[in-house]
Amino acid sequence: MLAAACGSGGSSSGKPARPTVDAQAVKAGPPVGWSDGGYKPDTSKMRCSKPAADPTRGITDTQITVGGLAYLTSPNGSTMAGAELGAKARFDRANAEGGINGRKINYVGTLDDGQDPARSGQQAKVLVDQKHVFAAVPLMTSFANYLDTFCAETVPYFGWGFNAGYCNTSIGFGITGCLLPDGTVATTTYGLLIKSLFGGNSTGKTVALVGVDNDTARGGNRDIAEQVRIVGIKVVYNENSVPIAGITDTTAVVNKVMTSNGGQPPDLVLYVADFNSVVKLTGALKAAGFKGKNLNVIGYDPRLAAIGFPGLQDSYTLMQWEPGVDNAVPAVRQMADDFKKYAPSAVLSLPAMAGYWSADMFVTAATKAGRDLNVNSLLKMLNSNYSYSVPGAVAETRWPLSHFATTPCGSISQLVGKQYNIITKLSCGSLVK
């Protein structure tokens, strides 16, 4: 997931490298209205576009049945646990407010695929054949084996779009769009956000990318490298040197990183790996004398702040929506209130927030579709120039464009002592052809 959350594709896909732009010309923009860079996808090639044979599956006069699919457990301990509670909190508030156009949401829970591709396919069949869901919410899996069933039965799904099923399909809707584009389009997101860590001036800056050793992560690293290069930052190390099961001996990686910049360390290290590996590498680099910035995509969790977690002190975390600590944003404050009321045992972790916003995306769309809601009417509306955003909290997705491209937006927070400081509020770059 961590690699997929960074995208994939890039110049190593065989396509010509995109030109470097003037670093000073890349500016942060608002979470809505970002530039598509002139990119126009071929929507005729979208998969899973046939009408549903049973368009009212999961709908009665009084309720809509939905259920989720995620890896709530996994062999390496990294999970999406909490996503199911986030979805529950949002669905419970919707029901308390009268449901969706008079229909209550019958949330049958989120099934666990254990990060097993075969089980992912099996659980998808359970959702359709046994639970009879109208839609899958939230869907947050590492593998897209669910597609065999969801395509055949035309099941819409909403979630964090970090697997291939969110790309080039007419039924998958990621709160951050398609995070595994095919290489025909890139974004300025990572370059823009890394630039912000250096006061807006990236001139002469260098970055090391440390990723997990699998094909998805290699694609993610390639795309990040291109995003960084687009704004003129030099990537001096780009290796997928972290085993899938996690790193044990950090010596080789640390030695290479510390000498990657012409015998010197880089200005910033970006880790795209599991939590334990990131903590080990961050600590090992610090022990080796690294004075630069550490940036990761997993380090935001209120439980870490509560104990002043020493392993990630002063580290930065890149997120794809506004951090949950920003109570100045009304929508974020509403989310926190919903958790307290409807899921008091949950914390505003990354998976929990992703589950909540996935549910919000579904509730918003289904409500707009009206009382005559069915699968076909919902998908027709969503794929006809529909957009979704939450002011100050979730950046705009546009459909069908977002079936093919990542939303070029993010935020950065930093763990300092027992609190997260928001370094860069949710902002957007642009797509780049």
Side-chain angles (χ1 to χ4, degrees), residues 197 269 271 278-279 281-283 286 290 292-300 304 309-318 412-417 419-421 423:
L197 293 180
V269 179
Y271 309 91
V278 171
V279 172
L281 286 164
T282 301
K286 181 178 180 180
F290 181 63
K293 301 179 186 297
N294 292 289
L295 176 64
N296 62 67
V297 294
I298 49 80
Y300 182 91
L304 300 179
F309 185 69
L312 293 177
Q313 281 297 313
D314 300 320
S315 287
Y316 300 90
T317 297
L318 188 150
I412 292 181
S413 61
Q414 183 184 29
L415 179 60
V416 179
Q419 67 180 18
Y420 285 99
N421 294 330
I423 305 302

Side-chain angles (χ1 to χ4, degrees), residues 46 134-135 156-158 170-173 361-369 373-388 397-403:
M46 283 196 297
F134 173 79
Y157 49 93
F158 300 76
S170 64
I171 58 176
F173 299 88
M361 187 183 194
F362 171 74
V363 169
T364 302
T367 300
K368 185 174 181 179
L373 174 71
N374 63 60
V375 170
N376 294 334
S377 67
L378 177 66
L379 290 174
K380 181 179 180 180
M381 183 197 75
L382 285 169
N383 288 314
S384 301
N385 297 316
Y386 179 84
S387 67
Y388 166 80
T397 49
R398 303 173 194 157
W399 308 95
L401 173 64
S402 294
H403 290 303

Side-chain angles (χ1 to χ4, degrees), residues 246-270:
I247 198 166
T248 51
D249 186 353
T250 62
T251 305
V253 177
V254 169
N255 288 342
K256 287 185 177 181
V257 169
M258 288 297 290
T259 57
S260 60
N261 184 22
Q264 299 297 316
D267 296 298
L268 179 145
V269 179
L270 170 57

Side-chain angles (χ1 to χ4, degrees), residues 166-234:
Y166 281 99
C167 301
N168 196 24
T169 61
S170 64
I171 58 176
F173 299 88
I175 52 176
T176 53
C178 154
L179 293 173
L180 291 168
D182 63 7
T184 58
V185 63
T187 80
T188 60
T189 309
Y190 271 79
L192 177 69
L193 291 172
I194 290 174
K195 179 181 169 183
S196 74
L197 293 180
F198 296 107
N201 184 2
S202 57
T203 303
K205 300 303 181 183
T206 56
V207 171
L209 306 179
V210 182
V212 176
D213 183 21
N214 63 31
D215 289 341
T216 298
R218 278 184 281 275
N221 272 27
R222 285 195 300 268
D223 195 47
I224 294 171
E226 183 167 12
Q227 293 184 41
V228 170
R229 183 193 63 79
I230 284 172
V231 299
I233 300 173
K234 184 177 181 180

